[in-house]
Each structure stands twice: as C-alpha cells, then as structure tokens.
C-alpha cells in the first residue's frame, strides 16, 4: 500500500486572471500574479492511497463520497500525471493501482475564497508525491483542474505565464520570490455578511471574452505593464508600488466585469465602503499602506505589512464596529493587539462617523506563506484499510 498526505493553501491574485483563450486546456488571455497564503490559517489537505486490493477509484470530499470520473477536470489531472509517470518511472506498476482519495479544506465556506485553487493544487501535489513525480512540472497539471490552482503549486509570489503555444505546454506558473523574501507581507480577509449568489468564474469569464472590448485592451496593454511593475515592486520590497498596482488591478478587473453584457456584479455596497475606507487610510498615511483586492465575490482581501496590521485594525474597528469585537472569533488567525485610538485620532482621520454595524462576519489574519507540504503519514485522512477516518453521518 502506497500513501501520501499533503496540504496546500489558496492564493490571492494581485494581477487578476480573467478570461480563457482555450476553455478545455484552461489557457488564459493574460498573465496573472498572486501571493500564496500560509497553510497555517487556510489550507486544503489531501490523502491518497494506492493499493492492488482496491477494486475502484474512490473519492471523498469534505466527508462525503463523490464520483471521480464524472469530473472532467479531475480526470484530466489524473490522466496527465499518469502520462508523465509512463515516461519517467522505471517501475510503472503503481500507475495501474486504483486510488482512494480523501480531501478536506478548512476554509469557512463564507470566506468566499476559491477553495478550488488550494484543492486542485493539493490534489495534484499529493498524487505526484505518491508516484514520486513531485519534481516534475506540476503547475500545468494543476491548471487543468482550476486555472488559478497552478499558482498555489508554489509558495511566496507566483506568476502564471499565459504562454503562446496552442497545446498549453508553456502556460505554467513560476515563482517570482519565496515567502522568505518578504516575510512581513500579511493579509487580512474581511468576510462580509452578505453572501449573495454570484455568477461563477467560468461563466463570467466566458461572457467577458465574448463581449467585453475592455478585456482585449486590458490583456494587450495593461496587464503586461502591470506585471513588469509588480515583479519589480516585489523584488525591491516596494510596498507603495505593490499596493497601488494591486488596487488598480482589482478595480480594472471589476470594470471588465461591468463592461460584460449583461454585467457581472461581484462587489456590493459593503465592498465599496471598504475600498473608500482604505483610500482614506492611505491618504492620511501619505502613501499606500494597505491594498485591497476583490475576487469574484464581495469579500475584501487586504495586503499590508506586518507593522501596519495593529493600526489598520484599530481604525477598521472604529469605522466598522462589530458586536463580536474584540474576540478571537472575530479576528481569527495570527493574533493581533489593536492600538487604542484617541478622539483626536478619529477626528483627524476624516471619515464621517461609522458606516454600519457588523459589516464583517469576521476577519482572517494571515500572511504570504510556503507552498504545498507533505505531511507525516499519521496525519492521513485515510485509515489503514484505505477508507476515510471521518465521514459525515
Ligand atoms: O481559477 P478560477 O476559475 O477560480 O478563477 C479565479 C479568478 C479570480 O480569482 C477572480 C482571479 C485570480 O486570478 O485568481
């Protein structure tokens, strides 16, 4: 019996991927760039066991059995990796063993984070580890699961190069810098209470590619420039530039969504009030100290340096008061001690009174972290008989 257990984290794009030029191979119309989050706060965990006695491939997702072969994307990832195994492995017998796959993610569903990125990255990394192929090019395989998953194959700051070739072989992710290059880079995820159903990214992207003229201009003119500036900002640890491009990119991505016919609206009034607050915060600081970015949902992700977190949360709590604050349930993850603010601090900040109570359900405090990691076999989600240790009753 062969077994492997690994974990991987989601990533938050600062240069957004939006639009495919090939839907089946998941090839994007533009490059994108993200920070992979630390697995300490948010992660997907996958265990895979392969054995000669298994009679069929089986998969359990968050405690419930799902059918593997109905899922074309999962199937593509498995077949592609087995294809690499056929070429690289001396003993290929393991490639014929049936698989038991068990995967869980610890994300609060309301966090609105693309669990698919961490999930597919973790799945591909775990299967590659099981086969002894973890040093192969895995990003193009994770991409077949979910585009943004290719960036979660590495930690730190990662660029997904769109590539030019029709077969997608050059559409891969590369690490720009490891997390250790800029360990002060922290992230706050502001989970807003409103969880309205949104247009999924596959449909939103398809419509945008079909009919947004701005998307074409963005892909050819804006993204190449932003990507180069962003890479330099990361290498120079220049937060002001990093932050400004992050904000501009988020706004431009949502402008494309509005330019789509019919429009895809992901941000809501609460999202806009966060954006307004952050612009005021940066104006008062005299430079960009906090950078918001929104994906295909209403929750804000804020990049900021570690030494800014306490001050930022103090002002955030003042302008967005919450009945749960202060508590570990409200600000989860890395502990933070907000600074007390005086009346004059609040007056000079210049935003009129509080916006509304309980704007956020809770906040997750995390940081940019390492890529996927293999865990000890005793952390496996599968028991010695190859069935899940925890099943939903
Ligand atoms: O990989 P998908 O299909 O979940 O698309 C992700 C798209 C965004 O999150 C909005 C942007 C990005 O680059 O991650």
């Amino acid at each position: 019996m062969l077994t492997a257990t690994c974990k991987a984290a989601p990533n938050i794009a600062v240069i957004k991927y939006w639009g495919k030029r090939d839907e089946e191979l998941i090839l994007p119309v533009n490059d994108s760039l993200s920070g992979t989050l630390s697995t300490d706060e948010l992660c997907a965990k996958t265990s895979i066991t392969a054995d000669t006695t298994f009679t069929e491939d089986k998969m359990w997702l968050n405690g419930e059995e799902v059918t593997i072969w109905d899922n074309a994307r999962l199937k593509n990832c498995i077949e592609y990796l087995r294809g690499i195994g056929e070429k690289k492995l001396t003993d290929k017998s393991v490639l014929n063993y049936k698989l038991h796959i068990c995967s869980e993610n610890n994300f609060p569903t309301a966090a609105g984070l693309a669990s698919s990125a961490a999930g597919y990255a973790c799945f591909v990394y775990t299967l590659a580890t099981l086969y002894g192929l973890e040093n192969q090019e895995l990003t193009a395989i994770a991409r077949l699961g979910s585009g943004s998953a290719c960036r979660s194959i590495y930690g730190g700051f990662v660029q997904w190069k769109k590539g030019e070739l029709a077969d997608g072989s050059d559409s891969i992710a590369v690490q720009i810098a490891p997390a250790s290059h800029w360990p002060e880079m922290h992230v706050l995820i502001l989970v807003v209470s409103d969880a309205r159903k949104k247009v999924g990214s596959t449909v939103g992207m398809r419509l945008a590619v079909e009919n947004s003229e701005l998307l074409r201009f963005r892909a050819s003119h804006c993204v190449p420039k932003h990507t180069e500036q962003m890479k330099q900002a990361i290498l120079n640890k220049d937060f002001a530039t990093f932050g400004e491009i992050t904000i501009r990119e988020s706004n431009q991505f949502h402008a494309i969504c509005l330019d789509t016919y019919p429009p895809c609206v992901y941000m809501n009034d609460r999202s806009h009030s966060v954006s307004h607050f952050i612009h005021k915060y940066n104006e008062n600081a005299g430079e960009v100290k906090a950078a918001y970015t929104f994906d295909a949902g209403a929750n804000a992700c804020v990049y900021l340096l570690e030494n800014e977190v306490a001050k930022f949360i103090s002002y955030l709590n003042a302008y967005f008061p919450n009945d749960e604050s202060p508590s570990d349930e409200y600000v989860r993850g890395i502990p933070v001690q907000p600074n007390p603010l005086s009346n004059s601090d609040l007056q000079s900040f210049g935003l009129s009174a509080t916006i509304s109570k309980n704007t956020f359900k809770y906040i997750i405090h995390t940081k940019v972290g390492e890529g996927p990691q293999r865990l000890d076999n005793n952390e496996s989600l599968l028991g010695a008989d190859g069935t899940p240790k925890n099943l939903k009753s």
Side-chain angles (χ1 to χ4, degrees), residues 289-309:
K289 292 281 188 188
Y292 60 82
T293 182
F294 295 85
D295 282 333
N299 297 329
C301 291
V302 183
Y303 276 97
L304 74 182
L305 296 179
E306 186 176 12
N307 61 10
E308 197 67 26
V309 176

Side-chain angles (χ1 to χ4, degrees), residues 59-294:
M59 180 165 188
W60 295 266
L61 197 56
N62 293 323
E64 283 178 78
E65 186 162 357
V66 293
T67 36
I68 304 184
W69 299 107
D70 287 355
N71 181 334
R73 290 183 173 195
L74 200 63
K75 200 171 120 191
N76 284 347
C77 293
I78 299 176
E79 283 176 354
Y80 199 104
L81 203 51
R82 281 184 176 152
I84 296 184
E86 291 291 348
K87 289 196 202 115
K88 302 275 173 184
L89 295 175
T90 11
D91 178 4
K92 303 180 201 329
S93 55
V94 63
L95 300 175
N96 300 319
Y97 297 179
K98 299 288 180 204
L99 303 172
H100 281 192
I101 304 157
C102 191
S103 195
E104 279 177 6
N105 53 53
N106 71 350
F107 306 174
T109 39
L113 288 165
S115 54
S116 57
Y120 276 108
C122 196
F123 171 72
V124 168
Y125 190 81
T126 311
L127 189 57
T129 303
L130 182 96
Y131 288 156
L133 297 169
E134 63 273 38
N135 294 326
Q136 302 299 313
E137 174 55 62
L138 301 181
T139 70
I141 310 175
R143 190 199 75 224
L144 296 172
S146 167
S148 56
C150 70
R151 299 186 310 237
S152 277
I153 288 287
Y154 295 115
F157 300 90
V158 185
Q159 179 185 3
W160 174 12
K161 297 185 174 201
K162 71 182 178 73
E164 306 293 338
L165 301 174
D167 70 358
S169 52
D170 58 348
S171 187
I172 56 169
V174 292
Q175 189 182 58
I176 302 300
S180 57
H181 166 72
W182 208 354
E184 302 84 4
M185 186 62 90
H186 279 223
V187 176
L188 294 170
I189 301 164
L190 312 181
V191 180
V192 302
S193 310
D194 180 332
R196 271 192 20 228
K197 198 166 162 44
K198 301 284 179 335
V199 182
S201 62
T202 305
V203 174
M205 285 189 205
R206 187 180 303 145
L207 278 175
V209 169
E210 271 165 23
N211 68 36
S212 165
E213 279 183 52
L214 290 189
L215 177 136
R216 288 190 273 283
F217 182 75
R218 165 174 157 73
S220 59
H221 285 77
C222 310
V223 175
K225 184 180 72 189
H226 282 162
T227 306
E228 278 321 301
Q229 291 168 337
M230 184 55 96
K231 276 160 71 174
Q232 280 314 312
I234 292 168
L235 295 175
N236 298 334
K237 299 207 252 179
D238 167 2
F239 188 85
T241 307
F242 172 94
E244 182 175 333
I245 302 170
T246 299
I247 293 176
R248 285 182 179 276
E249 265 291 316
S250 174
N251 290 339
Q252 194 174 71
F253 154 52
H254 289 277
I256 299 290
C257 296
L258 287 183
D259 186 50
T260 301
Y261 193 88
C264 295
V265 182
Y266 293 115
M267 290 169 69
N268 63 17
D269 288 354
R270 290 167 192 241
S271 319
H272 288 291
S273 62
V274 173
S275 137
H276 183 59
F277 167 82
I278 291 180
H279 280 289
K280 193 75 202 166
Y281 186 91
N282 290 334
E283 186 188 311
N284 287 337
E287 64 178 274
V288 178
K289 292 281 188 188
Y292 60 82
T293 182
F294 295 85

Side-chain angles (χ1 to χ4, degrees), residues 6-37:
C6 302
K7 60 178 178 173
N11 64 72
I12 305 290
V14 290
I15 305 280
K16 301 292 188 191
Y17 148 53
W18 198 252
K20 299 181 182 77
R21 62 175 204 277
D22 184 315
E23 290 228 8
E24 188 143 333
L25 293 173
I26 313 200
L27 302 178
V29 295
N30 60 266
D31 282 18
S32 56
L33 205 153
S34 55
T36 298
L37 301 181

